[in-house]
C-alpha cells in the first residue's frame, strides 16, 4: 500500500500554493485531487458576464508568485484564471494533479497515523497528512424560495452560468444585490429587453477605480521586481488602515458611510431610488461592494429596481408581496453559495470515530483556523474564523500555508504518527476569538452569510491581517499532542531538517 506524504484537496489558489510551499520545504511526495478538469477553483467556475475581483490585482496574488503583467488595477475573472494556469506551469505542478477526482470521504487510522481518502473514481489514497483546500465558496445553491420548481422559464445561478443562453431581447430578473449582482446587472442591461433587479437589502457601494496598467509600468515591474513589491506593500497598508472603518464601528465607520452616500448621491439623482438603495446597517457588517457602473445600470430605461419582497415564483415569473406578477423569460439567481461553515461537503472521520460535520454542525471551531482537535495531521485552508473584512484573502492564506507547512514538516521530519492540537488550547483560542468578535461590525445586527442561523460567527477573523500573519508564524509544538512512531515501525526518510519535538502519548 502506497502511503503519500501529503494529499491536497483542491487545485485553486490555496491548493496550488500549498504544493509550492511544501516543495520548497523539501516535501515532494504530493498528490493534488481536483474534481474539475482544470485548475482555478472559484475563478474557473464563475464565468458570469462582468466577473472580476474587488481586491486590486497586485494584492490578489501570492507574494511568492508575482505577476508583473496585470492589465488593470482590478483583475477580471479570466485574467485571474490565466494567472493560476501560468502559476501551475511555472512551478511544474500539473504532474501532481489528478483531475476529475472528487473526494467522497476522509477517515483517520489512529494506530497507523494515516488518512484514507475515497473518491468518486473508486480510487483510494493513503496519506500521512492532508491539506483541505477546497474552499468555503466551492458550491452554489438556489435560494429557498416558494414556488422555485414551478417556474417554467430559464433559471441560471451566477456560479453556474449558462454561457449558451442568449439574453438578447429577453425579459430578465436578477435576484440579489450582492457582489456578483453588481457585476452582472451592468452587463445584462446592454442586451436584455428589460432587467428587473429584486433587492432584499441594499448594500454599501464604493466606487471602483479600475485603471488600466500602462505597458511601461508592466515592463518596470518585470525588470525591477522591487518596484512591484513596493506598490503591493502600499496597497496592503492602505487596506490595513481601512480595518479601522470596516472591522470595528468607529468614527471612521461613519466616514465610510458618508463616502458611500456621496457615491450614491453623485450617481443617483432620483430621490426615491436613492432611498431604496440606502443601507441601514454599519459599513462592514455585510460585505462591502465595489462598483462604478451598478447605479448607472439601475437607471437605464430598460432596468427597474424592485424592493417588494418575493412572495413566490410562478410558472410565468415572480410574484411579489404587493400582488404584482412579473412575467419573465429568465431568472438569474445571484444569491450566493452553499458556504461550508460545517466543514467540507464530504464526511471527515477523525480519532475515535468522531465526525467533523457533526461537531461543526452548530459552531465550527479550529485552532488558528488550521487545526481541529481530534483530526490530526489535517490542515484547513480558509478554515473557521480566517476571513478578512478589509484585506486580500490571499494574504491570510499565505499565513495558513506557512503554518501548515511547518506542521507537516514537523510530522515528516520527526516521523510522528500524529500531531493533534490539544482540546484545551483550541477551546481557549476560540473563546478569545468569540470575545473579540463581539466588538466587530459583523456582530452589529445585520444578517449576513458570515453568521450561522443562531448568530454565531465562524467565518471572520477579528483583527488586522498583520496580527493574523504574526499569529500564524508562531507554531508551538506544545499546543499539540505529538505521538512518535514505535521502534518497530519502519522509519521514513525525508530531506527535511528534523526539529526538536516533545512527544507524548
Amino acid at each position: 500500500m502506497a502511503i503519500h506524504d501529503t494529499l491536497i484537496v483542491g487545485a485553486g489558489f490555496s491548493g496550488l500554493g500549498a504544493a509550492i510551499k511544501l516543495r520548497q520545504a523539501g516535501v515532494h511526495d504530493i498528490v493534488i485531487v481536483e474534481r474539475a478538469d482544470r485548475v482555478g477553483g472559484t475563478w474557473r467556475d464563475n464565468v458570469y458576464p462582468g466577473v472580476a475581483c474587488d481586491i486590486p490585482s497586485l494584492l490578489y496574488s501570492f507574494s511568492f508568485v508575482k505577476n508583473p503583467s496585470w492589465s488593470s488595477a482590478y483583475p477580471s475573472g479570466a485574467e485571474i484564471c490565466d494567472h493560476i494556469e501560468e502559476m501551475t506551469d511555472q512551478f511544474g505542478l500539473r504532474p501532481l494533479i489528478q483531475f476529475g477526482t472528487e473526494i467522497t470521504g476522509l477517515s483517520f487510522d489512529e494506530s497507523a497515523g494515516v488518512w484514507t481518502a475515497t473518491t468518486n473514481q473508486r480510487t483510494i489514497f493513503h496519506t500521512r497528512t492532508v491539506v483541505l483546500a477546497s474552499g468555503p465558496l466551492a458550491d452554489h445553491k438556489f435560494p429557498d424560495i416558494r414556488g422555485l420548481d414551478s417556474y417554467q422559464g430559464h433559471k441560471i445561478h451566477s456560479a453556474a452560468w449558462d454561457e449558451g443562453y442568449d439574453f438578447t431581447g429577453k425579459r430578465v430578473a436578477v435576484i440579489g444585490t450582492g457582489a456578483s449582482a453588481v457585476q452582472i446587472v451592468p452587463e445584462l442591461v446592454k442586451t436584455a429587453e428589460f432587467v428587473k433587479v429584486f433587492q432584499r437589502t441594499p448594500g454599501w457601494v464604493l466606487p471602483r477605480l479600475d485603471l488600466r496598467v500602462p505597458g511601461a509600468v508592466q515592463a518596470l515591474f518585470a525588470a525591477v521586481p522591487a518596484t512591484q513589491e513596493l506598490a503591493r506593500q502600499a496597497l496592503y497598508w492602505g487596506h490595513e488602515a481601512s480595518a479601522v472603518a470596516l472591522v470595528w464601528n468607529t468614527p471612521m465607520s461613519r466616514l465610510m458611510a458618508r463616502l458611500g452616500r456621496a457615491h450614491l448621491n453623485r450617481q443617483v439623482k432620483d430621490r426615491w431610488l436613492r432611498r431604496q438603495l440606502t443601507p441601514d446597517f454599519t459599513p462592514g457588517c455585510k460585505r462591502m461592494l465595489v462598483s462604478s457602473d451598478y447605479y448607472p445600470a439601475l437607471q437605464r430605461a430598460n432596468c427597474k429596481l424592485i424592493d417588494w419582497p418575493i412572495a413566490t415564483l410562478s410558472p410565468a415569473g415572480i410574484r411579489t408581496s404587493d400582488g404584482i406578477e412579473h412575467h419573465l423569460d429568465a431568472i438569474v439567481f445571484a444569491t450566493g453559495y452553499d458556504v461550508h461553515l460545517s466543514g467540507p461537503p464530504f464526511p471527515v472521520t477523525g480519532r475515535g470515530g468522531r465526525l467533523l460535520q457533526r461537531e461543526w454542525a452548530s459552531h465550527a471551531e479550529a485552532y488558528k483556523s488550521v487545526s481541529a482537535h481530534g483530526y490530526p495531521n489535517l490542515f484547513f485552508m480558509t478554515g473557521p474564523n480566517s476571513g478578512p473584512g478589509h484585506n486580500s484573502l490571499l494574504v491570510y492564506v499565505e499565513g495558513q500555508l506557512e503554518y501548515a507547512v511547518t506542521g507537516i514538516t514537523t510530522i515528516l521530519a520527526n516521523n510522528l504518527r500524529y500531531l493533534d492540537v490539544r482540546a484545551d488550547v483550541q477551546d481557549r483560542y476560540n473563546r478569545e476569538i468569540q470575545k473579540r468578535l463581539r466588538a466587530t461590525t459583523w456582530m452589529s445586527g445585520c444578517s449576513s452569510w458570515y453568521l450561522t442561523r443562531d448568530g454565531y460567527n465562524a467565518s471572520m477573523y477579528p483583527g488586522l491581517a498583520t496580527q493574523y500573519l504574526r499569529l500564524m508564524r508562531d507554531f508551538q509544538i506544545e499546543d499539540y499532542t505529538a505521538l512518535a512512531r514505535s521502534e518497530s515501525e519502519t522509519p521514513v526518510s525525508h530531506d527535511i531538517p528534523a526539529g526538536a519535538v516533545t512527544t507524548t502519548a
Side-chain angles (χ1 to χ4, degrees):
M1 178 180 71
I3 301 177
H4 299 286
D5 284 343
T6 302
L7 175 72
I8 299 173
V9 182
F13 263 121
S14 299
L16 298 172
I20 292 168
K21 300 305 285 185
L22 282 168
R23 277 183 157 185
Q24 291 174 349
V27 180
H28 297 282
D29 184 8
I30 300 168
V31 175
I32 305 172
V33 291
E34 169 55 56
R35 67 183 182 182
D37 59 357
R38 58 192 180 95
V39 300
T42 188
W43 295 105
R44 171 202 60 231
D45 298 336
N46 283 270
V47 293
Y48 60 79
V51 60
C53 188
D54 52 14
I55 291 291
S57 49
L58 290 181
L59 204 52
Y60 199 78
S61 50
F62 288 133
S63 64
F64 53 88
V65 193
K66 290 187 174 64
N67 175 17
S69 303
W70 292 115
S71 64
S72 60
Y74 291 87
S76 68
E79 192 168 13
I80 294 173
C81 278
D82 289 343
H83 172 64
I84 296 173
E85 294 278 0
E86 291 167 2
M87 178 173 68
T88 304
D89 291 330
Q90 178 184 345
F91 289 90
L93 301 180
R94 291 193 192 278
L96 307 180
I97 307 173
Q98 298 207 14
F99 291 107
T101 304
E102 184 171 3
I103 298 296
T104 56
L106 277 173
S107 60
F108 186 68
D109 183 340
E110 187 172 348
S111 63
V114 171
W115 282 97
T116 296
T118 56
T119 72
N120 62 332
Q121 300 293 339
R122 296 185 179 178
T123 52
I124 296 176
F125 297 98
H126 303 284
T127 179
R128 297 183 66 187
T129 62
V130 176
V131 177
L132 275 179
S134 50
L137 304 181
D139 297 309
H140 69 278
K141 66 174 181 179
F142 284 99
D144 184 16
I145 296 179
R146 181 183 171 197
L148 179 66
D149 295 331
S150 70
Y151 175 61
Q152 296 178 359
H154 199 69
K155 291 187 298 218
I156 304 174
H157 195 284
S158 60
W161 197 257
D162 184 353
E163 295 183 87
Y165 186 77
D166 185 4
F167 287 90
T168 304
K170 299 294 197 305
R171 297 166 301 172
V172 183
V174 176
I175 299 178
T177 53
S180 299
V182 300
Q183 296 178 347
I184 292 171
V185 171
E187 298 300 316
L188 289 184
V189 296
K190 296 176 183 178
T191 57
E193 175 188 337
F194 206 90
V195 177
K196 292 186 177 181
V197 181
F198 289 79
Q199 171 185 275
R200 183 170 61 179
T201 307
W204 288 105
V205 182
L206 298 178
R208 179 186 181 90
L209 306 176
D210 194 12
L211 305 175
R212 303 294 296 179
V213 179
V217 173
Q218 296 179 32
L220 176 63
F221 286 165
V224 188
T227 58
Q228 184 175 3
E229 178 59 26
L230 185 64
R232 177 187 171 93
Q233 287 298 316
L235 287 168
Y236 171 82
W237 288 109
H239 280 76
E240 280 290 82
S242 72
V244 179
L246 298 178
V247 176
W248 302 282
N249 191 355
T250 69
M252 293 301 292
S253 304
R254 292 183 280 282
L255 175 60
M256 187 69 70
R258 284 198 292 270
L259 291 174
R261 282 192 291 268
H263 179 53
L264 174 62
N265 293 337
R266 183 170 59 253
Q267 289 201 324
V268 179
K269 302 307 177 186
D270 181 83
R271 183 176 298 176
W272 174 246
L273 183 58
R274 284 204 306 265
R275 182 177 176 181
Q276 288 176 293
L277 291 168
T278 300
D280 62 357
F281 56 86
T282 303
C285 187
K286 289 178 180 283
R287 180 176 174 178
M288 297 294 291
L289 307 176
V290 182
S291 176
S292 293
D293 53 8
Y294 175 60
Y295 288 154
L298 291 176
Q299 297 169 88
R300 296 263 301 238
N302 66 333
C303 190
K304 182 175 178 61
L305 181 71
I306 310 291
D307 63 356
W308 282 95
I310 295 175
T312 184
L313 266 61
S314 68
I318 295 174
R319 189 177 303 133
T320 46
S321 60
D322 58 350
I324 295 176
E325 185 168 44
H326 305 265
H327 288 209
L328 303 160
D329 298 306
I331 300 177
V332 173
F333 294 84
T335 49
Y337 295 84
D338 184 9
V339 182
H340 299 308
L341 297 180
S342 60
F346 50 80
V348 179
T349 307
R351 295 176 62 186
R354 61 200 305 160
L355 188 64
L356 183 70
Q357 281 74 11
R358 184 183 301 128
E359 295 187 357
W360 282 10
S362 58
H363 298 158
E365 290 187 352
Y367 180 54
K368 297 186 179 181
S369 313
V370 176
S371 301
H373 172 67
Y375 303 88
N377 305 0
L378 178 66
F379 300 89
F380 298 91
M381 297 293 103
T382 61
N385 296 113
S386 64
H390 66 289
N391 216 318
S392 171
L393 175 64
L394 293 188
V395 170
Y396 287 67
V397 169
E398 281 202 36
Q400 295 159 27
L401 291 176
E402 181 175 352
Y403 193 89
V405 168
T406 302
I408 290 170
T409 53
T410 297
I411 292 166
L412 298 178
N414 295 280
N415 201 25
L416 300 180
R417 185 181 298 171
Y418 64 73
L419 192 67
D420 190 11
V421 65
R422 289 163 38 197
D424 63 312
V425 170
Q426 178 173 299
D427 290 345
R428 184 167 60 250
Y429 175 81
N430 279 280
R431 284 197 301 271
E432 178 63 22
I433 286 289
Q434 292 302 316
K435 178 181 177 181
R436 291 170 58 189
L437 277 166
R438 288 198 289 270
T440 64
T441 58
W442 308 309
M443 311 299 288
S444 60
C446 74
S447 174
S448 74
W449 67 264
Y450 303 149
L451 310 179
T452 60
R453 290 184 177 181
D454 63 353
Y456 183 84
N457 192 329
S459 304
M460 309 302 283
Y461 177 74
L464 299 170
T466 306
Q467 293 174 300
Y468 188 79
L469 293 177
R470 186 183 305 118
L471 179 75
M472 302 310 286
R473 284 192 291 267
D474 183 24
F475 184 96
Q476 297 290 335
I477 192 66
E478 295 80 7
D479 293 338
Y480 292 79
T481 299
L483 183 63
R485 293 181 179 275
S486 66
E487 294 182 2
S488 62
E489 293 180 90
T490 303
V492 181
S493 176
H494 287 280
D495 297 326
I496 304 169
V501 57
T502 300
T503 59
T504 59

